[in-house]
Amino acid sequence: MNSDKERKDKVGAGRPTPTSARQARLPLLELVLYLTLAGVTMMFAALVVLYLYTRTREGDVGSPHPFPRWFSLSTVVLLISSYVLAQAPRLYRTDDVPALVRCLGATLLLGSIFAGLQILGWRELQNQGIFFTREPSGTYVYLISALHVLHLFGGMIFLGVLLGHAMRASRDGIRTLVFIRNPYWRVRLRLLGIFWHFVDALWVALFTIFLFLF
């Protein structure tokens, strides 16, 4: 009886451990992610509507120049990155941390290449004489593309943090076991996949719109 009472009186007794506390917050993180994605969708939808309204009001029939080919190539790269990242949950479930590290590293590299191709697309617009303030077709392409790259950078930062933990875990058997068995990292990997695939689908939709309306 006394020993039970002593255990209850200890500092921190009966309180959730840091790990369990983090796990309890995971559903909240997922809710925040979905709310964020909804807000991002509304923002880009508003920009597309403003683009269409501006063109209609000014009687703009679109640019006489072809849509930058670098944007088309960047779309392919982003689709490949989404496919590569889709393999990560399977690698995590099979405890293949070294392969998971390569998967996350390749996704990060492809994301960087996508951002670089977007910049080349901006330069191609400038070479065609299309600048940010000249015409709606150029203004909204620059703006929407830049905002999309910023959101991709957010995913790349999250991806880089996860990659760093996976790399440290892959160097030691005990760390690998802790990393694989911790549901906190499994959920973070799933949230990363949701965000990355969303950004991918968002760009494909935007690219399709500009491909026909530019």
Side-chain angles (χ1 to χ4, degrees):
M1 294 291 293
N2 291 334
S3 60
D4 292 340
K5 186 177 184 302
E6 290 175 357
R7 283 197 296 269
K8 291 181 181 179
D9 291 339
K10 287 182 179 179
V11 176
R15 299 178 183 176
T17 63
T19 301
S20 63
R22 285 186 302 175
Q23 294 173 2
R25 291 197 299 267
L26 288 176
L28 178 60
L29 291 177
E30 188 168 356
L31 176 60
V32 170
L33 174 62
Y34 286 130
L35 291 176
T36 301
L37 298 186
V40 171
T41 301
M42 293 176 63
M43 180 188 68
F44 279 98
L47 287 173
V48 171
V49 170
L50 286 174
Y51 168 54
L52 295 175
Y53 171 76
T54 302
R55 284 189 53 175
T56 302
R57 185 187 62 183
E58 297 184 359
D60 187 5
V61 295
S63 173
H65 304 286
F67 196 64
R69 65 184 185 278
W70 294 114
F71 286 147
S72 302
L73 183 57
S74 69
T75 303
V76 175
V77 171
L78 193 60
L79 287 172
I80 294 174
S81 74
S82 194
Y83 171 78
V84 173
L85 186 60
Q87 313 308 311
R90 175 181 58 82
L91 298 174
Y92 187 90
R93 288 194 301 269
T94 57
D95 300 352
D96 195 348
V97 178
L100 177 63
V101 169
R102 293 192 295 270
C103 175
L104 297 177
T107 305
L108 187 61
L109 176 61
L110 290 168
S112 302
I113 294 174
F114 171 84
L117 292 173
Q118 291 285 294
I119 295 175
L120 291 176
W122 303 342
R123 293 185 60 183
E124 186 175 348
L125 286 173
Q126 294 174 358
N127 293 335
Q128 294 175 354
I130 302 174
F131 299 94
F132 183 78
T133 57
R134 289 284 182 87
E135 54 183 290
S137 295
T139 299
Y140 282 94
V141 169
Y142 280 113
L143 180 60
I144 291 178
S145 173
L147 286 174
H148 182 269
V149 170
L150 286 177
H151 285 85
L152 181 70
F153 278 152
M156 291 172 64
I157 293 173
F158 191 80
L159 173 59
V161 172
L162 185 57
L163 174 60
H165 284 280
M167 290 177 65
R168 285 193 293 271
S170 66
R171 301 191 185 113
D172 180 82
I174 296 178
R175 289 181 179 178
T176 297
L177 183 62
V178 172
F179 179 78
I180 289 297
R181 294 295 177 264
N182 191 341
Y184 179 72
W185 294 113
R186 182 176 66 250
V187 174
R188 291 191 70 178
L189 181 61
R190 183 167 64 86
L191 296 181
L192 171 64
I194 292 173
F195 182 82
W196 197 271
H197 298 320
F198 167 81
V199 171
D200 188 344
L202 177 63
W203 173 251
V204 170
L206 295 171
F207 172 77
T208 302
I209 290 172
F210 280 117
L211 190 63
F212 289 100
L213 298 180
F214 180 72

